[in-house]
Amino acid sequence: MSTFPNQAAPNNTSMAPTFLLVGMPGLSAAPSWWTIPLITMYLLSALGNGTILWIIALDSTLHRPVYFFLFLLSVSDVGLATALMPTLLGLAFAGVHAVPASACLLQMFFVHIFSVMESSVLLAMALDRALAICRPLHYPTLLTNDVISKICLAIAFRCLGLHLPLPFLLAHMPYCLPQVLTHSYCLHPDIAHLACPGGWGAIYSLFVVLSVMGLDPLLIFFSYGLIGRVLQGLGSSEDRWKAGQTCAAHLSAVLLFYMPMILLALIDHLRVPIPQPAHTLLSYVHFLLPPLINPILYSVKMKEIRERIVKRLQPRKVGCAQ
């Protein structure tokens, strides 16, 4: 872990004026060289998700529930990657560890807004796949435009309703521990852990984690249990393969997003003695890899997306009709 000059002393009365972030494990001595892969990762994430957004927005034949949810997933990926960049680039370019409390809480708000949005969209996509496979004849009447609009409103209400109180609660809490965070960005469980015992902010932070990151994976895997039961009843292995392939990209995205978080929760619960750098790297995988990998997964696994990307990239032939 990085060492910090002028580490903040414990504060029992009010929010500290700054929080201190840790750098990339093992790179605190020479932070500048990892700016190139960091910026490259962000630009590739923006390019990949921007391409998905562009393709879906321009092609009216893709204005269907599964692609609308993919559109929202790309929005959440771009938003999440963008929200993480300020402190990551500050550490990479200048080794800036101190972050004002107001800026830290603002980053925390947007990181978790887009994280909850991604989790909610993955849950909505699981519902879409379950209905398409388990109720194929009723699918068009079940997921109408009106239903899709209500799902979008529910996602927006969930994101804002859960996380809007957190910055205000954490801003007015007394802190009994030095304000040194364990990541390169501000997360509400990390900040709440530094607060004095008994504060409502820490209790509400735990409620938010359990109501989203605890509930959503259970519902998603339950929907895949229903899908698996239907696939077992299909006549041929070829039919099962084709039906299963429609879920491949989504299931890969689910595992990529949730598995690092589940591993972190198990490590903390079982008190597994792993080095702090390994703990921090799992957090990077959870937040930074999905925005980079998801566009590749969906471009490779979804034939319609892949074909339209290739079509858009092909040069148009110019000539006179015969």
Side-chain angles (χ1 to χ4, degrees):
M1 182 180 293
S2 303
T3 56
F4 304 101
N6 302 321
Q7 179 169 307
N11 182 1
N12 293 321
T13 57
S14 64
M15 164 68 76
T18 60
F19 285 102
L20 299 176
L21 305 171
V22 299
M24 287 279 192
L27 301 181
S28 57
S32 60
W33 76 267
W34 56 276
T35 56
I36 295 177
L38 187 63
I39 293 174
T40 301
M41 181 181 294
Y42 176 72
L43 292 177
L44 289 175
S45 300
L47 177 64
N49 287 289
T51 301
I52 298 289
L53 294 172
W54 174 56
I55 293 295
I56 296 174
L58 291 182
D59 197 325
S60 59
T61 63
L62 297 181
H63 294 176
R64 288 177 278 160
V66 61
Y67 297 107
F68 182 72
F69 291 137
L70 178 56
F71 186 93
L72 292 181
L73 185 68
S74 293
V75 171
S76 64
D77 278 336
V78 172
L80 182 58
T82 303
L84 293 168
M85 282 301 111
T87 52
L88 287 173
L89 291 177
L91 284 165
F93 277 115
V96 177
H97 293 275
V99 180
S102 57
C104 191
L105 292 174
L106 185 64
Q107 183 189 46
M108 176 203 76
F109 176 74
F110 283 108
V111 166
H112 288 292
I113 281 285
F114 287 113
S115 182
V116 171
M117 180 180 176
E118 178 141 354
S119 182
S120 302
V121 172
L122 288 173
L123 177 57
M125 295 175 86
L127 172 66
D128 172 80
R129 290 299 83 208
L131 290 175
I133 293 174
C134 300
R135 296 288 185 270
L137 297 179
H138 300 94
Y139 175 76
T141 58
L142 290 172
L143 275 184
T144 61
N145 289 337
D146 184 54
V147 172
I148 297 297
S149 300
K150 290 178 180 178
I151 291 175
C152 291
L153 286 175
I155 291 174
F157 178 79
R158 190 188 197 200
C159 293
L160 293 173
L162 283 175
H163 283 284
L164 197 57
L166 268 174
F168 301 100
L169 287 172
L170 295 176
H172 295 91
M173 288 181 62
Y175 288 84
C176 298
L177 296 174
Q179 283 74 37
V180 181
L181 303 178
T182 59
H183 299 90
S184 304
Y185 30 78
C186 300
L187 305 176
H188 70 75
D190 211 8
I191 298 175
H193 176 71
L194 303 177
C196 297
W200 280 104
I203 298 172
Y204 187 76
S205 175
L206 179 62
F207 165 75
V208 170
V209 171
L210 293 178
S211 63
V212 177
M213 297 304 177
L215 180 63
D216 289 4
L218 293 177
L219 294 176
I220 290 172
F221 291 125
F222 174 75
S223 71
Y224 271 101
L226 297 177
I227 291 172
R229 190 173 64 178
V230 171
L231 292 182
Q232 286 181 347
L234 294 180
S236 67
S237 58
E238 183 179 355
D239 291 337
R240 288 194 293 270
W241 171 257
K242 288 181 179 179
Q245 281 297 100
T246 64
C247 303
H250 176 257
L251 186 57
S252 300
V254 166
L255 294 175
L256 182 65
F257 184 73
Y258 288 112
M259 284 308 295
M261 179 205 63
I262 293 173
L263 286 175
L264 283 173
L266 288 175
I267 288 169
D268 290 340
H269 180 72
L270 299 175
R271 301 184 183 276
V272 178
I274 67 167
Q276 181 59 40
H279 193 280
T280 306
L281 284 173
L282 278 174
S283 173
Y284 289 138
V285 170
H286 171 65
F287 283 110
L288 296 177
L289 276 193
L292 178 65
I293 302 298
N294 283 345
I296 300 173
L297 286 174
Y298 282 97
S299 299
V300 171
K301 292 293 184 180
M302 299 185 76
K303 182 180 178 182
E304 289 182 298
I305 293 291
R306 183 173 67 249
E307 288 178 346
R308 280 157 178 78
I309 291 176
V310 172
K311 182 180 178 181
R312 293 284 180 180
L313 294 177
Q314 285 178 344
R316 296 184 178 181
K317 297 180 179 180
V318 179
C320 300
Q322 300 294 325

